[in-house]
Amino acid sequence: MEKQQGNLFYIETYGCQMNVADSELVASILVDNGYRQASDIDAADLIIFNTCTVRQHAEDRVIGRISNEMSRKKQKPHLKIGVIGCVAQRLGEKLLEVNAGIDFVLGVDQYKSLPMTLRFLDSWGVKHCSDFNSEQSYEYHSPLRSGKHNAFVTITRGCDNYCSYCIVPYTRGRERSRLASEIVREARQAGEAGFRDITLLGQNVNSYNNRGATFPDLLEMVNDVESIRRIRFITSHPKDLSARLISVMQKSNKVCEHIHLPMQSGNTEILKRMNRGYTARHYWKLIEKLRDAIPNIAITTDVIVGFPGETEEQFDDTMEMMKRLRFDAAFMFKYSVREGTEAAGFENEVPEEIRLERLKKLINLQTGITTEKYQQQTGLTKEVYVEGVSKKSTAELSGKTRDAKVVVFPGDSSLIGSFVNVEITDAIGWTLKGRQLSKE
Ligand code: 5AD
Ligand code: SF4
């Protein structure tokens, strides 16, 4: 059903890696239905915004961005604008009412309905909003991957944890685990297509379970896929990270020495009110176990400051924990109220200026720790997966270590896509500099 004209699409993606993976899925659904990917937004006949609503700021930004694009319709009356993802799921039909030129709205589990939605729009010119109820699966679509070397493979959709601050269980729905055989097939296909670094994706990968296959089982299966060289996974949840998982990580040679393990707070009372299901002590012991089993493991985290009722002392517990645990890096956020979540009804909101002040303090502390951690890498030899030419200089290549650090080193572009041993000579900000030792 190849179309003659007006079939170029462009997807702009916001938010987490799950959205990146979903955009790749949407791209493949569109290509299977006769659409083609536009080289840039100006060339597009169809613009799709895949949106994020995890914090209010993210939502406001994307709505502003969509409104800006509305003027394109003056020069190109046939242009269609669609909104998908978590803002679409949250606001639904209301998005058609804001004056942003939006033609259709599809929720996070409605992407298979996209071709039909577009046909409907073409034939009748009717704006469309999905019913947001169905839970579609995407087993028969292989994502149209946006990267060249790293591939995301979705293993679960949705989340059942209901952390009290979080909107995700409401936008992405109940947790569903894909079939292990499907995941392995998709990983193998990606590996054979040259993606040597695979990231298994889920809101909480540790609770993966399908017909008795658990996450450690899945890791072992993917570890056996010949064409893959590196395996990563995000995001882990401290309450579900088992001793068996640590042991499988230790034994599986392809599983990289990195874990992203959101702590959220260093205070047990706050963790309890966040409904996180673990204590500060449990978290800290978990980090010890991970470091005992895998001494050179890089650990990154997420932290929220200014949760309702957070006292100065409770915030200090978070500061102390960051000093004690010395994360390689952290994503730090000020609490943002999400309508409909449990915490939206909590009293004692922390004033905005105090949230900001705490955030600045925490970022300051962590920046120092991250800088030191990166400095400590000098003199080490690291295996680098060369992913491209450096953004700053074409004489340099850029790649990633197993422990998720970016390395830049002088080298020839023929090395892109290969694995090279690099001696780290310096750390500039959060980029390591090095010199090539050998190519494998
Ligand atoms: N306010 C601030 N940060 C939030 N996160 C999730 N919900 C909120 C919220 N309401 C953060 C958490 C999560 C990360 C993806 O976003 O730290 O791990
Ligand atoms: Fe949100 Fe908690 Fe689920 Fe993560 S685990 S998506 S923070 S509810």
Side-chain angles (χ1 to χ4, degrees):
M1 54 148 18
E2 179 68 28
K3 294 190 169 187
Q4 294 310 304
Q5 57 171 13
N7 67 350
L8 290 176
F9 70 88
Y10 183 85
I11 308 178
E12 198 164 291
T13 308
Y14 293 84
C16 64
Q17 275 89 350
M18 192 58 88
N19 266 9
V20 175
D22 277 359
S23 290
E24 295 180 350
L25 200 65
V26 168
S28 106
I29 291 171
L30 285 170
V31 167
D32 285 353
N33 282 276
Y35 288 82
R36 289 180 300 133
Q37 202 147 22
S39 51
D40 57 50
I41 196 165
D42 296 329
D45 307 295
L46 165 65
I47 303 174
I48 296 178
F49 293 92
N50 192 358
T51 57
C52 171
T53 183
V54 76
R55 283 167 292 276
Q56 187 61 41
H57 177 65
E59 183 172 307
D60 297 343
R61 252 184 56 211
V62 78
I63 292 178
R65 173 82 187 91
I66 300 167
S67 309
N68 277 345
E69 293 307 311
M70 193 166 68
S71 59
R72 289 180 184 271
K73 288 195 163 181
K74 287 203 190 91
Q75 286 93 49
K76 212 188 250 186
H78 73 273
L79 176 71
K80 305 276 183 301
I81 296 181
V83 182
I84 64 173
C86 290
V87 177
Q89 187 76 34
R90 192 176 100 76
L91 296 180
E93 266 178 328
K94 286 188 201 143
L95 277 170
L96 296 178
E97 289 154 22
V98 299
N99 189 22
I102 299 167
D103 295 292
F104 65 90
V105 180
L106 286 184
V108 293
D109 286 311
Q110 315 271 302
Y111 300 147
K112 271 199 204 158
S113 315
L114 183 53
M116 208 174 65
T117 302
L118 291 168
R119 248 174 270 139
F120 204 64
L121 259 176
D122 276 345
S123 313
W124 307 100
V126 180
K127 290 194 178 197
H128 178 75
C129 183
S130 63
D131 63 12
F132 299 106
N133 288 325
S134 68
E135 292 193 343
Q136 296 175 350
S137 79
Y138 302 96
E139 300 304 5
Y140 303 106
H141 286 277
S142 293
L144 195 72
R145 304 198 185 282
S146 42
K148 285 203 184 91
H149 307 287
N150 308 282
F152 291 125
V153 177
T154 302
I155 68 164
T156 64
R157 293 182 74 82
C159 182
D160 283 347
N161 290 310
Y162 288 97
C163 299
S164 61
Y165 50 81
C166 187
I167 194 129
V168 169
Y170 305 93
T171 56
R172 288 197 164 267
R174 299 289 58 74
E175 183 181 284
R176 288 142 284 154
S177 296
R178 291 179 69 196
L179 258 183
S181 57
E182 267 301 308
I183 295 166
V184 172
R185 179 195 61 75
E186 202 178 300
R188 180 175 300 115
Q189 204 177 31
E192 285 167 4
F195 298 88
R196 311 294 307 282
D197 190 324
I198 303 286
T199 302
L200 304 177
L201 272 189
Q203 239 48 254
N204 172 4
V205 287
N206 310 136
S207 61
Y208 172 87
N209 195 320
N210 189 317
R211 292 167 189 255
T214 62
F215 185 59
D217 298 334
L218 188 66
L219 268 190
E220 282 179 333
M221 288 182 231
V222 179
N223 198 65
D224 286 340
V225 176
E226 193 120 322
S227 49
I228 294 173
R229 172 90 173 229
R230 291 179 172 185
I231 304 167
R232 309 175 183 282
F233 51 90
I234 40 174
T235 294
S236 289
H237 196 306
K239 78 175 166 60
D240 297 316
L241 202 157
S242 63
R244 164 127 196 274
L245 175 60
I246 298 179
S247 144
V248 169
M249 286 175 72
Q250 189 186 25
K251 284 190 215 132
S252 309
N253 60 332
K254 293 176 184 170
V255 175
C256 290
E257 295 76 25
H258 171 226
I259 191 162
H260 184 67
L261 192 63
M263 175 174 87
Q264 310 298 9
S265 166
N267 175 273
T268 297
E269 175 56 30
I270 295 288
L271 286 170
K272 197 167 167 202
R273 285 199 290 115
M274 284 178 163
N275 193 28
R276 288 292 288 173
Y278 55 88
T279 61
R281 185 183 153 80
H282 173 85
Y283 186 87
W284 146 45
K285 289 285 165 200
L286 208 50
I287 301 290
E288 280 184 352
K289 283 182 200 156
L290 281 161
R291 285 184 171 146
D292 283 346
I294 309 158
N296 50 351
I297 192 167
I299 304 179
T300 54
T301 199
D302 290 346
V303 183
I304 300 173
V305 300
F307 185 75
E310 184 189 65
T311 63
E312 206 56 48
E313 291 72 34
Q314 289 169 329
F315 168 68
D316 282 344
D317 285 346
T318 298
M319 291 284 282
E320 285 309 311
M321 201 64 121
M322 303 290 272
K323 283 184 206 158
R324 183 200 295 247
L325 298 179
R326 295 181 64 79
F327 295 105
D328 289 68
F331 297 98
M332 294 159 279
F333 310 102
K334 13 178 208 131
Y335 171 72
S336 164
V337 188
R338 307 313 290 126
E339 204 185 304
T341 60
E342 195 192 341
F346 288 179
E347 288 173 355
N348 298 326
E349 270 212 341
V350 175
E352 174 65 19
E353 60 278 13
I354 296 183
R355 282 186 234 176
L356 191 61
E357 197 182 288
R358 290 182 186 170
L359 182 64
K360 281 187 185 157
K361 249 172 124 173
L362 196 69
I363 291 176
N364 211 9
L365 169 68
Q366 184 57 42
T367 305
I369 296 171
T370 300
T371 307
E372 277 172 33
K373 286 240 159 186
Y374 274 63
Q375 290 293 345
Q376 283 163 5
Q377 301 281 314
T378 49
L380 300 180
T381 298
K382 298 266 191 175
E383 183 201 76
V384 175
Y385 184 22
V386 188
E387 292 169 5
V389 171
S390 153
K391 280 188 204 121
K392 293 211 176 121
S393 147
T394 50
E396 290 191 312
L397 300 173
S398 170
K400 231 175 266 120
T401 62
R402 284 174 63 99
D403 60 350
K405 295 184 171 70
V406 174
V407 179
V408 169
F409 65 99
D412 190 82
S413 60
S414 61
L415 291 173
I416 294 171
S418 62
F419 291 83
V420 171
N421 282 322
V422 173
E423 187 195 24
I424 306 304
T425 51
D426 202 359
I428 297 173
W430 297 0
T431 302
L432 299 175
K433 291 270 184 179
R435 67 181 181 91
Q436 182 186 336
L437 295 178
S438 60
K439 176 178 181 278
E440 288 173 30

